[in-house]
Amino acid sequence: MITGANIEQQVYDYVDNSDNCELVTRNGIIIESLDDNSLQAEYRFIDTEDTRLSVVLYAEKKKFVETLNIRRMGDIDALTPGDLIEVYDKGLAEMACFITLHYSYCLVFQKTGNDIVATNESDCQHMVPVSQKLETHDQFIAYTEQYYKLLEASEN
């Protein structure tokens, strides 16, 4: 078993040496090495022309390895979408929803305890009302569409 900085650097180098600094695991998780020695893991639940819903973890390589409990290189390919959802539920990852209405929009959701904070592309944040259940893919997409339809209507 490799420990400490060795596994962190090995994971980063492994991803960094992949095609376009991107690795796709057998479970469809896209892991990218970024220029600032950070890593990003993303799983796209829905990816169509008009809609994309992803769970995303972005972290410095040490935090990335710790958060995903990577202890050996084989753990990378064993990561599942469920692992990323668990990290989201702990408030360490984000759910990103991109939709196209008149324009392309994005809301990013992050849990903070029992609350969910949504951030739009202008970095404006708001608390998602507790009455709004955001548990399924459709609920995240419907919330994002409703938010931007209301925003577009208020601008007209």
Side-chain angles (χ1 to χ4, degrees), residues 72-139:
R72 54 189 174 79
M73 294 301 291
D75 293 343
I76 296 167
D77 208 42
L79 290 173
T80 67
D83 294 329
L84 290 177
I85 289 295
E86 284 180 32
V87 173
Y88 166 77
D89 286 337
K90 293 176 184 174
L92 301 173
E94 301 171 330
M95 195 71 69
C97 185
F98 295 84
I99 61 164
T100 301
L101 298 172
H102 290 99
Y103 303 98
S104 292
Y105 297 111
C106 175
L107 271 184
V108 175
F109 302 90
Q110 186 161 22
K111 284 195 171 184
T112 57
N114 291 328
D115 297 322
I116 298 175
V117 175
T119 306
N120 68 19
E121 62 275 344
S122 298
D123 265 348
C124 294
Q125 294 184 337
H126 69 275
M127 295 290 268
V128 175
V130 176
S131 61
Q132 293 282 320
K133 297 285 186 203
L134 297 182
E135 298 169 349
T136 69
H137 305 150
D138 290 341
Q139 289 168 334

Side-chain angles (χ1 to χ4, degrees), residues 50 99-105 144-150 152:
D50 295 330
I99 61 164
T100 301
L101 298 172
H102 290 99
Y103 303 98
S104 292
Y105 297 111
T144 302
E145 286 177 350
Q146 175 189 16
Y147 174 85
Y148 282 108
K149 284 179 181 176
L150 289 171
E152 283 183 348

Side-chain angles (χ1 to χ4, degrees), residues 2 7 10-11 14-15 70-78:
I2 303 164
I7 188 66
Q10 283 191 7
V11 168
Y14 180 62
V15 174
I70 297 171
R71 297 196 171 140
R72 54 189 174 79
M73 294 301 291
D75 293 343
I76 296 167
D77 208 42

